[in-house]
C-alpha cells in the first residue's frame, strides 16, 4: 500500500507516518519548498519515508505528485492550523484550509477516483455550540476564519464523495495534543512554561482565557482513527473525541501539580491573548466511531498532561547540558 500524507512534518503527520510504516506502507510526504528545513518531528523516520515537493496553493503540483506516486490513500493534514493566525491571515487560511482541499479532490477526480481520501476536519467548526456533546449531526457555527475554512473543506469532501463516488472520509477531530504539539498552542505553551519554571529558566507564564473548555485527547490515538476510516467499505464522517472536557485552568492545575508547584504564583493573564470571538465549550461524542470503527482512546487527560510536561522537562534538561 502507498500513502501520501500532506502536512507530514506536523504533529499528526509524524504520528500517522509512524503508524503507516508499522503497517508496512510505502509512505510519501508532501512538503513545501522552503529555504530552511523543519523536519524535526520526522527526523527519526526520515530514511524510511519519501518526501516530495508540492504546494496546496498550486493545483498542477498536486496533480503531478499524485500522478507520480500513484497512492492508494491520501491523508490531507496540511493546513494553516493555528486559530489566532486565521484572524491575521484570513485569506491565506481560506486558500489552504478550504480551496486546498478542493484542489486535492479535483486531482483525485481527474486522475484516479479509486484513491481513498481523508480530510482533517475540526471541532472548531462547531464554534458557538448548538448542543453538548457535539455529534456528527450537530449544526456548525464557526467562530473564526479557521473554523469557517474548515467547514468549507468538510462539506466539499462530502460533496465529492456524493457527486463522484470517491471514498472520501472526514474526521471531525477534537483537540488532540502530544509532546510534538507546536509551542504556539496553549497546551504546549503551558507544559513548556511549567518545565521552564520548574528548572528556574523563567518565573511566569502568560495566558489568555483560562475558562475555555476543550475535549483533549492524545494525537497518537487520533491518527489511528484516520487510518481506520479509510479501511471501511464505505466512507463517512466521524467525530473523534474522548467525551470529556476540561478547562484551560484545569490543564494548568494538572501540569503544575505534576511538578509540585502552585500555579497561582506563576500565571498572568494577558488580554492580548484573548480571541476576538471565543469558543467556550467543546465536548465530542465519538459513539459512531466506537461502534463502526471500533476505535477507543487509550490516553486519558491526566496521562496526556503528564506525558507532555515530562517530555518538555527532558528536552530542556538536555539543552542545559
Amino acid at each position: 500500500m502507498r500513502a501520501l500524507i500532506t502536512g507530514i512534518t506536523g504533529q499528526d503527520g509524524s504520528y500517522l507516518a509512524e503508524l503507516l510504516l508499522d503497517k508496512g506502507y510505502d509512505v510519501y510526504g508532501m512538503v513545501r519548498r522552503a529555504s530552511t528545513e523543519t523536519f524535526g518531528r520526522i527526523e527519526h523516520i526520515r530514511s524510511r519515508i519519501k518526501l516530495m515537493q508540492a504546494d496546496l496553493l498550486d493545483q498542477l503540483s498536486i496533480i503531478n505528485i499524485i500522478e507520480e506516486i500513484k497512492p492508494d490513500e491520501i491523508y490531507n493534514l496540511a493546513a494553516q492550523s493555528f486559530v489566532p493566525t486565521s484572524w491575521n491571515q484570513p485569506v491565506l487560511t481560506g486558500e489552504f484550509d478550504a480551496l486546498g482541499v478542493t484542489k486535492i479532490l479535483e486531482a483525485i477526480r481527474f486522475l484516479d477516483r479509486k484513491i481513498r481520501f481523508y480530510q482533517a476536519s475540526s471541532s472548531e467548526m462547531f464554534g458557538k455550540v448548538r448542543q453538548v456533546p457535539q455529534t456528527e449531526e450537530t449544526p456548525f457555527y464557526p467562530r473564526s476564519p479557521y473554523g469557517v475554512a474548515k467547514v468549507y473543506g468538510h462539506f466539499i469532501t462530502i460533496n465529492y464523495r456524493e457527486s463522484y463516488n470517491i471514498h472520501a472520509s472526514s474526521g471531525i477531530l477534537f483537540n488532540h495534543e502530544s509532546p510534538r504539539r507546536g509551542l504556539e498552542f496553549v497546551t504546549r505553551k503551558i507544559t513548556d512554561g511549567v518545565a521552564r519554571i520548574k528548572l528556574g529558566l523563567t518565573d511566569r507564564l502568560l495566558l489568555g482565557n483560562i475558562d475555555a473548555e476543550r475535549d483533549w485527547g492524545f494525537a497518537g490515538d487520533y491518527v489511528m482513527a484516520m487510518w481506520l476510516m479509510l479501511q471501511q467499505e464505505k466512507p463517512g464522517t466521524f467525530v473523534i473525541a474522548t467525551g470529556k472536557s476540561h478547562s484551560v485552568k484545569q490543564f494548568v492545575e494538572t501540569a503544575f501539580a505534576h511538578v509540585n508547584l502552585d500555579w497561582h504564583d506563576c500565571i498572568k493573564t494577558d488580554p492580548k491573548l484573548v480571541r476576538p470571538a471565543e469558543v467556550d465549550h467543546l465536548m465530542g461524542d465519538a459513539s459512531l466511531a466506537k461502534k463502526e470503527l471500533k476505535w477507543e482512546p487509550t490516553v486519558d487527560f491526566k496521562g496526556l498532561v503528564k506525558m507532555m510536561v515530562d517530555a518538555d522537562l527532558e528536552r530542556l534538561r538536555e539543552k542545559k547540558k
Side-chain angles (χ1 to χ4, degrees):
M1 293 287 285
R2 289 186 176 188
L4 171 61
I5 303 172
T6 74
I8 195 170
T9 60
Q11 169 188 255
D12 292 7
S14 65
Y15 280 111
L16 179 60
E18 287 176 348
L19 174 68
L20 296 180
L21 287 170
D22 288 344
K23 293 185 177 296
Y25 279 65
D26 290 333
V27 177
Y28 295 79
M30 190 178 102
V31 295
R32 302 178 71 198
R33 170 73 179 89
S35 56
T36 56
E37 294 188 343
T38 54
F39 301 146
R41 294 184 182 96
I42 56 171
E43 200 59 53
H44 62 296
I45 54 172
R46 182 83 181 273
S47 63
R48 301 172 61 198
I49 60 179
K50 301 175 185 69
L51 300 180
M52 313 281 285
Q53 286 187 5
D55 197 313
L56 285 183
L57 302 185
D58 183 350
Q59 177 76 76
L60 187 57
S61 73
I62 297 170
I63 291 173
N64 287 339
I65 193 176
I66 294 175
E67 196 167 30
E68 181 176 351
I69 296 170
K70 295 181 171 56
D72 299 288
E73 299 172 355
I74 297 177
Y75 297 85
N76 182 37
L77 310 185
Q80 190 301 98
S81 59
F82 191 45
V83 175
T85 297
S86 73
W87 274 288
N88 296 326
Q89 298 181 317
V91 175
L92 184 69
T93 300
E95 290 280 0
F96 277 117
D97 299 4
L99 294 181
V101 185
T102 315
K103 289 171 184 173
I104 298 176
L105 287 165
E106 269 293 274
I108 292 172
R109 182 182 72 85
F110 178 70
L111 294 171
D112 182 3
R113 300 185 188 185
K114 295 187 183 69
I115 295 172
R116 297 193 171 196
F117 176 74
Y118 171 80
Q119 167 60 14
S121 290
S122 169
S123 59
E124 288 286 330
M125 300 189 304
F126 294 120
K128 191 174 182 180
V129 298
R130 319 308 283 173
Q131 66 183 61
V132 178
Q134 294 88 54
T135 73
E136 292 80 6
E137 304 302 321
T138 302
F140 299 135
Y141 195 142
R143 298 270 281 170
S144 67
Y146 170 80
V148 172
K150 279 292 185 179
V151 169
Y152 178 103
H154 177 76
F155 277 122
I156 201 69
T157 299
I158 294 172
N159 185 257
Y160 272 66
R161 176 203 305 167
E162 296 176 349
S163 301
Y164 302 115
N165 198 31
I166 294 172
H167 195 296
S169 287
S170 179
I172 305 178
L173 271 58
F174 280 65
N175 295 63
H176 46 289
E177 320 296 320
S178 76
R180 299 179 194 174
R181 188 61 140 156
L183 285 166
E184 70 272 23
F185 291 88
V186 68
T187 51
R188 185 74 194 291
K189 184 177 180 180
I190 292 167
T191 61
D192 175 73
V194 167
R196 289 180 182 277
I197 293 168
K198 181 65 176 179
L199 297 175
L201 299 174
T202 187
D203 60 358
R204 67 173 185 166
L205 175 61
L206 294 177
L207 295 174
N209 177 20
I210 64 173
D211 295 320
E213 296 182 347
R214 295 291 184 271
D215 183 329
W216 278 300
F218 172 51
D221 288 339
Y222 285 40
V223 299
M224 173 60 80
M226 300 176 189
W227 177 77
L228 287 169
M229 287 179 213
L230 297 201
Q231 310 319 304
Q232 305 304 302
E233 183 180 345
K234 294 182 180 179
T237 296
F238 297 91
V239 164
I240 305 300
T242 69
K244 298 177 181 177
S245 66
H246 297 85
S247 66
V248 175
K249 181 180 176 181
Q250 287 175 302
F251 198 107
V252 168
E253 290 171 341
T254 305
F256 275 93
H258 184 52
V259 294
N260 299 311
L261 290 175
D262 185 346
W263 69 274
H264 295 92
D265 300 330
C266 310
I267 296 295
K268 303 292 182 185
T269 301
D270 184 351
K272 288 184 289 188
L273 297 176
V274 177
R275 296 180 182 185
E278 183 58 85
V279 175
D280 297 314
H281 184 204
L282 293 176
M283 184 170 72
D285 179 352
S287 297
L288 184 64
K290 292 178 179 180
K291 178 184 176 183
E292 295 194 9
L293 306 180
K294 311 303 182 202
W295 176 83
E296 289 284 349
T298 66
V299 180
D300 65 10
F301 176 73
K302 286 187 177 180
L304 175 65
V305 177
K306 291 176 182 178
M307 176 201 303
M308 293 175 67
V309 172
D310 288 342
D312 278 321
L313 281 169
E314 182 179 353
R315 176 180 58 87
L316 292 169
R317 285 184 180 127
E318 285 295 317
K319 286 181 69 174
K320 284 181 71 176
K321 288 182 180 178

